[in-house]
Amino acid sequence: MSNENKKRVALYTLGCKVNQDETEAIEGLFKDRNYEIVSFENRADVYIINTCTVTHLADRKSRQFIRRAINTNPNALIVVTGCYAQTSADELEKIPGVDLIIGTSGREKIVDVIEEHQKVNMATTFVSDIRKAKDFEELPVDRLIHKTRAYLKVQEGCEQFCTYCIIPYSRGPFRSRSLDNCINEAGRLVDAGFKEIVLTGIHLGAYGIYDEKLSLFDLCKNLLDKTDIKRLRLSSIEPTEINDEIIELMKNDSRFCRHLHIPLQSGDNKILKLMNRPYDAEQFQQLVTKVKQEVPGASITTDFIVGFPGEDDESFANSVELIEKVGFSDIHVFKYSPRKGTPASKYPDQVEASIKEKRSKIISDLATRGFVNFASQFINQTVEVLVEQDVKGICEGHTDNYLPVKFKGKIDKGQIVKVKIKNLEKGFLSGELI
């Protein structure tokens, strides 16, 4: 079929790496059915908006991109999927021009649903009760090879029920991809040319939790032993789920990236309890100290929420003190956003927006200092860099401990090369290709 006769589909992703992984898989399903993939800014026959609902801002952005698609082609089929679609289908149904609403399950049949819908030509909602979900949704991710690292989703759902978080209501209970399927998918990704695979999940550390014989460590060990992967990276993992086995694997196998993204959320025990986080500040600090002692050069990044209800000056000061002690190499800062349906949205002592803004700036400044302190250690050292892009002869990429590096050279994307670090510049290290 010529490109003139192909149906055109455009996709846009909001939110986390899991959403990005799912969008790529959905894109692959359309390519298999001979659709032409076009940029979201272009005119298409079908627009897929994969939404996020972690904050009010995410909801607003989702609506903005829905309207952008409608304005680009009022005659196109507008399909909204993802977390916002799962939790707020009633809101989306009120937006003129939205044709299909598909939640966070059943996306493996999305092309069939769309083509069947086009025959009926009426607005339809496919949002099932996610609390009853039992099976891991199989969405192959090895069809696209235009990126340098691959995201392999191995886990779905969350049962932590942090008091600020809507995700358990949008993603449902724990489900895991089978070990054999994970190994096969990883093998296909390696064969497709990827040097690095990032394991993702809504609650990654819960992989295999309902299978007494499986854990995240077992998965990582099997992937390293049974594939030719060059780098294996974890996306985000809770502090209570980093055990001695994972630390030892990171210490002893150079393919297991020396980088852990461990959500802190608050450094104050009172706030952590209000958040329903299953650890205290002291336990968090002890964990990070152990990782850094056992794994030289390990990078620790985190998520942090400012302005949670009840966060007074003393609570915030405790958080600042802990952050300075830990020495994160990066911090993703979020201003608390009340989510309808979560306990924290009804808590007293909500924090004023101006205070959140001020505290967010303080944490961002700490993040910058933390990066400088950590990255400076690697000046005059030789590191291995996964090349991600070449901009006018300047290659850019990341080390295994997720430090951004730039150097002059002509290297194909996806290759891992050695670079001698010379300088620390604003936001990245620079060096010379060896």
Side-chain angles (χ1 to χ4, degrees):
M1 184 184 293
S2 67
N3 282 348
E4 289 85 6
N5 297 323
K6 281 185 177 182
K7 288 188 175 181
R8 293 150 63 89
V9 60
L11 304 95
Y12 194 86
T13 312
L14 296 107
C16 64
K17 289 182 175 68
V18 173
N19 268 18
Q20 295 168 23
D21 171 79
E22 291 169 349
T23 298
E24 290 206 351
I26 291 170
E27 183 176 324
L29 295 176
F30 278 98
K31 291 183 80 171
D32 281 354
R33 298 284 278 272
N34 210 31
Y35 282 73
E36 180 186 356
I37 310 299
V38 299
S39 168
F40 196 80
E41 288 73 31
N42 291 350
R43 192 175 179 86
D45 301 295
V46 180
Y47 290 91
I48 311 286
I49 300 95
N50 192 3
T51 60
C52 173
T53 191
V54 72
T55 64
H56 281 306
L57 180 59
D59 289 355
R60 190 183 314 130
K61 284 185 176 179
S62 296
R63 293 191 295 270
Q64 287 173 350
F65 279 96
I66 291 166
R67 293 189 176 100
R68 185 177 299 180
I70 294 169
N71 291 334
T72 303
N73 183 6
N75 297 318
L77 189 76
I78 307 299
V79 184
V80 185
T81 186
C83 292
Y84 186 36
Q86 180 68 42
T87 61
S88 305
D90 54 337
E91 292 181 18
L92 293 169
E93 288 170 352
K94 297 175 184 177
I95 299 177
V98 171
D99 297 293
L100 271 174
I101 302 168
I102 302 174
T104 53
S105 62
R107 268 96 49 96
E108 74 279 5
K109 298 178 181 177
I110 191 169
V111 184
D112 290 329
V113 170
I114 286 172
E115 292 183 347
E116 185 64 29
H117 169 85
Q118 288 172 324
K119 299 174 185 176
V120 179
N121 195 28
M122 60 182 291
T124 313
T125 299
F126 293 91
V127 178
S128 58
D129 187 347
I130 200 66
R131 295 171 299 177
K132 297 179 181 178
K134 295 181 180 180
D135 299 321
F136 184 88
E137 181 182 56
E138 298 288 354
L139 287 171
V141 296
D142 61 339
R143 294 180 172 92
L144 304 176
I145 57 173
H146 59 275
K147 293 189 176 180
T148 53
R149 62 170 55 85
Y151 295 101
L152 177 56
K153 180 182 171 185
V154 299
Q155 186 277 336
E156 176 65 276
C158 182
E159 299 175 17
Q160 174 62 43
F161 289 98
C162 298
T163 58
Y164 52 82
C165 187
I166 197 70
I167 297 305
Y169 307 94
S170 66
R171 289 287 182 166
F174 293 139
R175 290 97 75 200
S176 299
R177 186 188 290 266
S178 72
L179 179 60
D180 287 343
N181 189 290
C182 290
I183 294 170
N184 291 336
E185 284 291 315
R188 284 194 284 269
L189 289 165
V190 171
D191 291 342
F194 289 104
K195 298 293 193 299
E196 179 178 313
I197 294 176
V198 184
L199 299 184
T200 69
I202 297 299
H203 192 133
L204 182 61
Y207 177 83
I209 196 167
Y210 292 136
D211 186 333
E212 294 180 1
K213 299 178 182 178
L214 277 181
S215 67
L216 180 61
F217 165 78
D218 296 320
L219 172 61
C220 294
K221 189 72 168 64
N222 272 274
L223 290 175
L224 290 167
D225 290 346
K226 297 179 180 179
T227 73
D228 294 326
I229 189 172
K230 301 299 181 185
R231 279 187 184 179
L232 181 65
R233 187 183 302 278
L234 303 182
S235 53
S236 179
I237 182 169
E238 292 292 321
T240 54
E241 291 155 358
I242 301 170
N243 55 30
D244 290 343
E245 290 179 317
I246 288 177
I247 295 173
E248 281 296 310
L249 188 60
M250 185 174 291
K251 176 181 178 180
N252 296 322
D253 194 321
S254 60
R255 297 171 297 164
F256 194 20
C257 292
R258 298 170 299 164
H259 169 225
L260 291 172
H261 185 84
I262 316 173
L264 171 62
Q265 310 301 13
S266 175
D268 178 76
N269 288 337
K270 179 189 76 173
I271 299 300
L272 287 170
K273 189 173 182 179
L274 287 171
M275 289 178 165
N276 194 34
R277 300 292 288 167
Y279 54 86
D280 60 30
E282 292 72 26
Q283 290 170 327
F284 192 99
Q285 184 180 348
Q286 290 167 8
L287 169 66
V288 174
T289 299
K290 181 174 184 177
V291 171
K292 290 186 174 183
Q293 288 176 343
E294 294 291 325
V295 187
S299 167
I300 308 297
T301 57
T302 196
D303 296 327
F304 187 87
I305 298 172
V306 298
F308 187 81
E311 184 190 66
D312 53 23
D313 290 342
E314 181 181 357
S315 299
F316 183 68
N318 288 338
S319 290
V320 169
E321 181 181 358
L322 180 63
I323 288 171
E324 290 176 331
K325 288 179 180 178
V326 168
F328 294 106
S329 55
D330 194 16
I331 304 172
H332 298 167
V333 188
F334 301 89
K335 287 172 275 194
Y336 171 71
S337 173
R339 308 304 292 133
K340 182 181 177 181
T342 61
S345 65
K346 299 178 181 178
Y347 283 181
D349 303 321
Q350 297 283 330
V351 178
E352 293 179 9
S354 59
I355 296 176
K356 292 180 190 178
E357 191 66 38
K358 179 180 178 182
R359 291 177 181 172
S360 177
K361 176 66 166 57
I362 291 171
I363 301 300
S364 294
D365 289 344
L366 288 173
T368 301
R369 283 167 43 194
F371 170 78
V372 170
N373 292 337
F374 180 73
S376 297
Q377 305 172 49
F378 296 89
I379 295 175
N380 295 323
Q381 290 192 24
T382 298
V383 299
E384 291 191 341
V385 178
L386 174 67
V387 178
E388 296 161 33
Q389 62 177 342
D390 179 345
V391 181
K392 296 181 180 179
I394 303 296
C395 290
E396 301 177 11
H398 283 82
T399 61
D400 76 297
N401 53 2
Y402 216 63
L403 283 169
V405 176
K406 294 184 181 182
F407 62 92
K408 289 183 179 179
K410 277 295 195 182
I411 305 294
D412 291 337
K413 285 199 311 181
Q415 299 305 306
I416 296 177
V417 297
K418 291 186 177 181
V419 176
K420 178 70 176 290
I421 300 301
K422 296 294 185 180
N423 297 298
L424 172 61
E425 302 185 32
K426 189 175 181 179
F428 64 93
L429 292 164
S430 62
E432 294 179 356
L433 178 66
I434 296 180

